[in-house]
Amino acid sequence: MRANREKGMALITALLVMLLISSIIIGFSYLVMTDQFMGGFTNQRQKAFYGAEAGMEKLTADLNNLFGQNYAPSAAEVNALTTVAQNPVIPGVSYIDPAVGAAGSGYAIVFPPDGVGNPLATNHTINSGPYQGLVGLLTPYQLTVIAQSATGSEVKLRRTVNTVGIPIFQFGIFSQTDLSFFAGPNFNFGGRVHTNGNLYLAEGDANTLTLADKVTAVGEVIRTNLSNGWNTGNSYNGTVNILTAPGTFRAMAFNEGSIVGTLGSAANPGWSGLSIGTYKSNIRDGDLTPGFAPLYTGVNGTGARALNLAIATPQLGGSPIDLIRRPVGGELAAAPGKLGTRYFSQASLRILISDNPADITGLPCMTGTAPVDLSKMAQATAAWPAANPYTDIKAKAGAAGTTLVPLAASGGGAAYNAANGYWLPANAPIITGFIKIEAQTTYGVPCGTYVDVTDEILALGYAGRNLNPNTVIVPPALPALGAAQVNPSACVDPNPNAVIRLERVRDNPSTQATAAGCGVGGAVVPTLATDYWPNTLFDPREALYRDWCPDGTGALGVVCKQKPMLGGVMHYVELDVNNLTRWFRGNIGVTGPATKDAAVSPNNFTVYFSDRRGNYIAAPLASGWPPASPSNNETGEYGFNDFVNFNKANGCPDGAIDGGELLDAPQDTTQQTYGARAGIAPYPVPPTTAGAYAVNGLFNAMVAYSAGLPQLTKNWVCADPGYIVTAPKVWPGWYVTNNPSEARENPSLFFRRALKLVNGATINVGVCPSGQNCGLAISTENPAYVQGDYNAPGGVFVVPYSASSVVADSFTFLSDSCNDVNSFISTYDTGGRIVARNGVVATAYRLAIGAGKGISFNQPAGTDKDMGTDGGVHNFLRYIENWGGATLNYRGSIVSLYYNRQGSGTYKCCTTVYSPPGRGYNFDTDFLTPNLLPPRTPMFRDINTIGFSEYILPN
């Protein structure tokens, strides 16, 4: 019995063990299956997460690219980023529309709207990083992406980002390249200072340079030398004050730069302590922190970071000079972002002039209306073609009450005669080319809606006043210039409502008996084509290679008075700023008010100007830069960079590449000489039909008319360069033999074009949607000259005013007492170009200025101590008058964006070009308020992530 009982217990035990084992097996199997299920679920969730993450990164990148192209995108442009087509394609992943929770676009972008539904930008002070202390235009965006795996696992990611636009004119002084301070007198401009290059700090003996705000240099900070190598211990022992606390400064010693000497010397081991400690980070150089992109890589950078405009970023692939250049053909399709960032595309009004109409009509975003052939207007108005656009111009002029006059033509005879001075045969057009003017009536990126207004603007007139009336010499005889300075002209304009002026009344018109020689008065207006001359001035900086009399003696003798070299004769178009604002307001013309954007203040108002007449290259350069025009013959650049020439006593062209000459590097590193060949542009060939083209047309006509070219003389000391191979070897160094006014009445033989702004003392373009006065921004790829008080009526900075800017190839101040004639009377002697006379003691200008400058090079032997520099901040804004005893009051922002491509004459002071003014220079602190900035101020742009969240959604 006992055995039977034991057998029963063994059976029960075996069954229990089997049950336990079975339970373990079942539990293990359940665990394995559960783990497999959970593993599959995790894999699906991870796939959904990675899909959402990929979508978020793409959406962020797309928003960043949009912001890089347009700092104020519309709601439609932002929402276009959220379409299904924008979703990345990932196998096994689909996207769920956040708005409806069903398949569709996985993207959503939410932003605060303004009054018309577009993203609202607000002013925001930046509290950290390279823009600390500046005020940016900040717009928050909430980005949402929902991704789903094939089994239904969903992940929603949400990111909050801010786009920030930082206006460049919030800097007191900004330079894309090396920046130099070495003023003789005290200099304290104010505002933030930044350079993407090296910073050279010096000051004239016994005076003080004060840098009253933060200073950053991506390159080195150099105290021991000027940029041309000159030791600052000689003549530059003044004080350089650096900010240490608000209102507190410390003098920066010669041994306190970031390196111990000039470029190439060893790093200063104490620099970090000086920069971060002693100067409290108020002066810093380039940083090596990962992720930063300095132009220079010093070994002890203290935090400065390169700041690049949107057009110069990898997204757009351009460079700062592209802001003012015309676009290239096909750019609308190939690079719409770059196109949309150019002033060309942003302009409320754009004015384009070329020798070949295809170089205008072949540009993107142009209307279909053909340009106007100016050469056909160089004859009596009754003889103009009886067809449009000429009949339309006449009709509109009649309605506007404008007295139309011919454009300038030659009053010569059968051959050159010094008595009349003309270089072309009788009736040959002097003013030629094709002009097209367009107004933007609906703003868009990259192209808005434009209408052609060429006829409308020309119908308001295009002729200016007589500058030097003569009642004695009967035309077409050419009056001699006297020795005395000429006061500003009191003559009236034949076209008082003209927005642009392409010519002016000659000194002795056929109506010289009227108004004391002016030729215009009452109903009297000169009506002969020979009564008019081109607009010209002489710029000795552009003509000369060294700062001394070009005859090689250095003495300011008679030869330095009235012998203009051809390279310095600048042919300009005059832009009447007062009449321009009247046109925008609708007081003259018709279309101006249609250019006003009723919602976006920064669109109101911008003008773009480009004159490429005389700019010609037979074929594009092998480097591909400068980019060619639609005809492949225009470059937008002077094309003559043989101007440094260290080893030539007089700086004469030597055909070798010297430091300071490669303005287009790194894109092109060749010696460019195509611009030094006289008259190769395809001008109309007199006397054939106007508009016919032939290489050397103008020059060949001149040579045929003037046997031996007696009107021109070879340079006094410089031999004709070897690359000028076709006889007669005229190049920019030749000069006018006889009467200097021959340079005033004849066409230009070289690409020497410019824009002059006049009558800008009061700028009134009405009130903008912001409630502030609308501003005025003028941009040009040509050199710009601004004559007289600008945005400062009566020479006084008043309120209210219009926020204004000029961005140009180069920028030159001309005083209230300036008269172009004096630049030909006293071509190389500043004693004949004195500002402080005729009651003028000061001239005032209020505007932000962006322009180019030259490349520094080593000081040539025998030249002044600052020869080879770019002139420094104090001379970045140029002069060509003798300002001694007069004050120049300037309030604005100084921005150096590129190297000059047209106004490329090297810096020279102070014998032949100018004598400096008393500089009343100050940063305009109103620019720290974004709605007080000029229209279309270029921006640094940034996008910052400030929040991120993840949501796991159930199956």
Side-chain angles (χ1 to χ4, degrees):
M1 294 294 294
R2 180 177 181 183
N4 290 335
R5 287 197 299 272
E6 289 177 350
K7 290 180 180 179
M9 289 299 295
L11 178 61
I12 293 172
T13 300
L15 291 172
L16 289 173
V17 170
M18 290 178 66
L19 179 62
L20 177 62
I21 292 172
S22 297
S23 298
I24 292 172
I25 292 171
I26 292 170
F28 182 74
S29 298
Y30 179 78
L31 179 64
V32 170
M33 289 186 293
T34 300
D35 184 65
Q36 289 175 338
F37 174 79
M38 291 300 294
F41 175 79
T42 300
N43 286 338
Q44 292 299 310
R45 191 189 70 79
Q46 285 180 335
K47 179 172 287 190
F49 172 80
Y50 290 136
E53 185 179 45
M56 180 61 74
E57 294 307 317
K58 183 177 186 300
L59 182 58
T60 304
D62 289 345
L63 180 62
N64 189 32
N65 288 334
L66 174 63
F67 184 63
Q69 298 172 22
N70 182 3
Y71 72 86
S74 67
E77 289 171 316
V78 173
N79 291 332
L81 303 179
T82 65
T83 62
V84 173
Q86 302 301 320
N87 294 159
V89 177
I90 302 174
V93 174
S94 59
Y95 289 90
I96 304 299
D97 190 330
V100 298
S105 168
Y107 290 167
I109 302 178
V110 178
F111 48 81
D114 62 13
V116 294
N118 292 324
L120 174 66
T122 56
N123 300 339
H124 177 78
T125 300
I126 300 169
N127 296 318
S128 62
Y131 306 112
Q132 182 178 358
L134 297 176
V135 178
L137 298 174
L138 181 146
T139 305
Y141 293 88
Q142 185 184 81
L143 282 57
T144 301
V145 177
I146 301 179
Q148 185 181 77
S149 71
T151 61
S153 292
E154 289 185 14
V155 171
K156 177 168 72 174
L157 298 182
R158 179 165 289 160
R159 174 179 288 173
T160 304
V161 301
N162 288 335
T163 60
V164 185
I166 300 94
I168 197 170
F169 294 140
Q170 286 198 356
F171 285 88
I173 299 166
F174 177 90
S175 180
Q176 179 70 20
T177 56
D178 290 353
L179 182 65
S180 296
F181 290 86
F182 58 92
N186 294 331
F187 194 81
N188 180 4
F189 186 72
R192 288 277 292 270
V193 174
H194 177 86
T195 172
N196 281 340
N198 299 299
L199 177 65
Y200 295 84
L201 296 176
E203 176 61 25
D205 290 349
N207 290 306
T208 301
L209 165 66
T210 301
L211 298 174
D213 208 327
K214 292 182 180 293
V215 179
T216 46
V218 179
E220 305 292 358
V221 177
I222 299 164
R223 281 286 284 118
T224 58
N225 299 81
L226 301 185
S227 60
N228 66 350
W230 182 271
N231 190 307
T232 55
N234 183 358
S235 302
Y236 292 101
N237 290 292
T239 301
V240 175
N241 274 338
I242 305 295
L243 189 71
T244 57
T248 303
F249 301 90
R250 179 181 184 276
M252 190 180 202
F254 283 105
N255 63 352
E256 291 185 347
S258 64
I259 51 180
V260 297
T262 191
L263 281 183
S265 63
N268 181 353
W271 169 247
S272 181
L274 287 165
S275 173
I276 304 300
T278 304
Y279 293 109
K280 310 299 183 186
S281 296
N282 286 306
I283 183 166
R284 294 180 293 162
D285 74 338
D287 197 293
L288 297 183
T289 302
F292 283 26
L295 299 180
Y296 299 86
T297 53
V299 297
N300 57 346
T302 56
R305 176 182 172 185
L307 307 179
N308 291 307
L309 295 174
I311 201 166
T313 59
Q315 294 102 309
L316 301 187
S319 59
I321 190 71
D322 288 320
L323 281 173
I324 60 170
R325 288 183 60 89
R326 294 185 189 182
V328 296
E331 191 167 288
L332 178 59
K338 182 194 293 187
L339 174 62
T341 311
R342 296 181 189 268
Y343 276 116
F344 168 92
S345 301
Q346 299 172 350
S348 312
L349 184 74
R350 60 187 177 206
I351 304 166
L352 307 174
I353 315 177
S354 284
D355 289 315
N356 187 338
D359 283 323
I360 298 175
T361 57
L363 299 174
C365 306
M366 300 299 296
T367 65
T369 306
V372 174
D373 185 345
L374 295 174
S375 68
K376 293 181 180 180
M377 298 169 64
Q379 55 187 326
T381 57
W384 289 3
N388 284 331
Y390 308 100
T391 54
D392 188 50
I393 294 171
K394 288 181 177 180
K396 286 182 167 65
T402 303
T403 300
L404 289 179
V405 299
L407 287 176
S410 173
Y416 171 74
N417 185 336
N420 62 60
Y422 282 106
W423 298 349
L424 292 173
N427 302 318
I430 290 175
I431 294 178
T432 60
F434 290 80
I435 186 169
K436 185 169 173 62
I437 307 174
E438 296 187 332
Q440 187 166 193
T441 55
T442 302
Y443 292 86
V445 178
C447 296
T449 300
Y450 278 89
V451 296
D452 187 280
V453 293
T454 311
D455 297 1
E456 178 180 332
I457 296 296
L458 293 180
L460 294 171
Y462 38 79
R465 70 191 64 186
N466 187 336
L467 295 182
N468 187 32
N470 182 290
T471 60
V472 177
I473 305 301
V474 177
L478 184 63
L481 290 177
Q485 278 188 254
V486 179
N487 288 331
S489 175
C491 298
V492 297
D493 290 306
N495 296 144
N497 291 327
V499 173
I500 61 170
R501 295 190 175 94
L502 304 172
E503 63 182 5
R504 66 178 63 261
V505 177
R506 64 178 288 155
D507 291 358
N508 57 331
S510 60
T511 54
Q512 63 187 158
T514 299
C518 291
V520 179
V524 177
V525 173
T527 59
L528 303 178
T530 54
D531 284 328
Y532 294 91
W533 289 348
N535 296 319
T536 58
L537 61 81
F538 184 75
D539 189 332
R541 173 168 174 161
E542 293 303 309
L544 295 170
Y545 300 100
R546 296 290 186 265
D547 187 30
W548 50 61
C549 179
D551 69 352
T553 66
L556 296 177
V558 175
V559 72
C560 276
K561 297 289 187 180
Q562 299 187 5
K563 298 293 182 183
M565 290 165 58
L566 299 177
V569 180
M570 309 299 290
H571 285 242
Y572 66 85
V573 171
E574 184 175 278
L575 179 63
D576 189 309
V577 175
N578 182 57
N579 286 342
L580 172 69
T581 63
R582 293 173 63 215
W583 183 79
F584 279 129
R585 297 197 311 268
N587 299 128
I588 55 175
V590 176
T591 311
T595 66
K596 184 174 182 178
D597 191 319
V600 183
S601 293
N603 288 335
N604 305 319
F605 295 89
T606 303
V607 176
Y608 177 76
F609 176 86
S610 168
D611 185 351
R612 290 190 174 184
R613 288 174 294 175
N615 179 211
Y616 186 83
I617 188 170
L621 295 174
S623 65
W625 186 272
S629 66
S631 71
N632 282 328
N633 297 131
E634 288 182 352
T635 65
E637 302 191 1
Y638 185 18
F640 182 35
N641 62 359
D642 193 4
F643 49 69
V644 171
N645 311 313
F646 296 112
N647 299 318
K648 296 286 187 175
N650 292 293
C652 298
D654 59 7
I657 296 175
D658 296 302
E661 292 183 342
L662 296 181
L663 303 175
D664 283 325
Q667 294 99 327
D668 184 79
T669 56
T670 62
Q671 184 91 71
Q672 295 180 10
T673 61
Y674 61 89
R677 296 165 187 152
I680 66 170
Y683 283 85
V685 185
T688 61
T689 302
Y693 294 106
V695 174
N696 298 318
L698 168 67
F699 190 53
N700 284 345
M702 177 179 168
V703 172
Y705 178 67
S706 315
L709 291 184
Q711 66 269 56
L712 300 178
T713 301
K714 291 178 179 289
N715 192 274
W716 297 270
V717 295
C718 296
D720 296 337
Y723 42 75
I724 309 297
V725 296
T726 303
K729 299 182 179 182
V730 178
W731 60 285
W734 282 39
Y735 64 90
V736 176
T737 308
N738 302 308
N739 191 328
S741 284
E742 290 187 22
R744 300 171 60 214
E745 72 173 356
N746 285 293
S748 177
L749 296 180
F750 301 97
F751 180 35
R752 305 272 72 192
R753 298 289 173 175
L755 176 69
K756 185 200 270 192
L757 308 184
V758 300
N759 296 333
T762 299
I763 299 175
N764 176 14
V765 279
V767 178
C768 266
S770 64
Q772 302 291 334
N773 283 353
C774 292
L776 180 64
I778 296 173
S779 59
T780 174
E781 65 176 359
N782 303 107
Y785 298 80
V786 174
Q787 181 169 326
D789 296 324
Y790 195 87
N791 208 16
V796 178
F797 298 131
V798 299
V799 176
Y801 68 98
S802 290
S804 300
S805 66
V806 171
V807 180
D809 178 79
S810 62
F811 184 95
T812 302
F813 287 122
L814 300 175
S815 72
D816 282 333
S817 61
C818 179
N819 187 321
D820 296 340
V821 177
N822 295 323
S823 67
F824 291 92
I825 290 175
S826 190
T827 44
Y828 312 108
D829 182 358
T830 61
R833 291 177 259 130
I834 296 173
V835 170
R837 58 188 177 81
N838 196 36
V840 174
V841 294
T843 308
Y845 311 80
R846 186 173 193 173
L847 72 162
I849 298 172
K853 61 184 177 185
I855 305 173
S856 293
F857 51 89
N858 291 332
Q859 179 201 13
T863 62
D864 192 69
K865 58 184 176 296
D866 52 7
M867 180 67 182
T869 71
D870 59 21
V873 170
H874 57 299
N875 290 310
F876 172 70
L877 307 176
R878 302 179 180 185
Y879 329 101
I880 56 172
E881 298 172 274
N882 186 332
W883 285 79
T887 300
L888 194 162
N889 291 313
Y890 170 68
R891 185 179 295 181
S893 170
I894 297 174
V895 174
S896 172
L897 290 171
Y898 31 73
Y899 295 130
N900 308 116
R901 301 310 210 275
Q902 294 184 29
S904 54
T906 58
Y907 166 73
K908 308 167 189 73
C909 179
C910 295
T911 302
T912 58
V913 178
Y914 74 97
S915 181
R919 297 183 181 93
Y921 280 24
N922 290 283
F923 172 56
D924 194 337
T925 55
D926 280 2
F927 291 161
L928 297 175
T929 302
N931 62 359
L932 297 180
L933 283 160
R936 294 293 190 171
T937 293
M939 297 271 186
F940 304 111
R941 304 178 193 182
D942 204 1
I943 184 166
N944 302 315
T945 298
I946 61 172
F948 184 83
S949 55
E950 175 186 355
Y951 303 87
I952 301 174
L953 306 180
N955 287 342

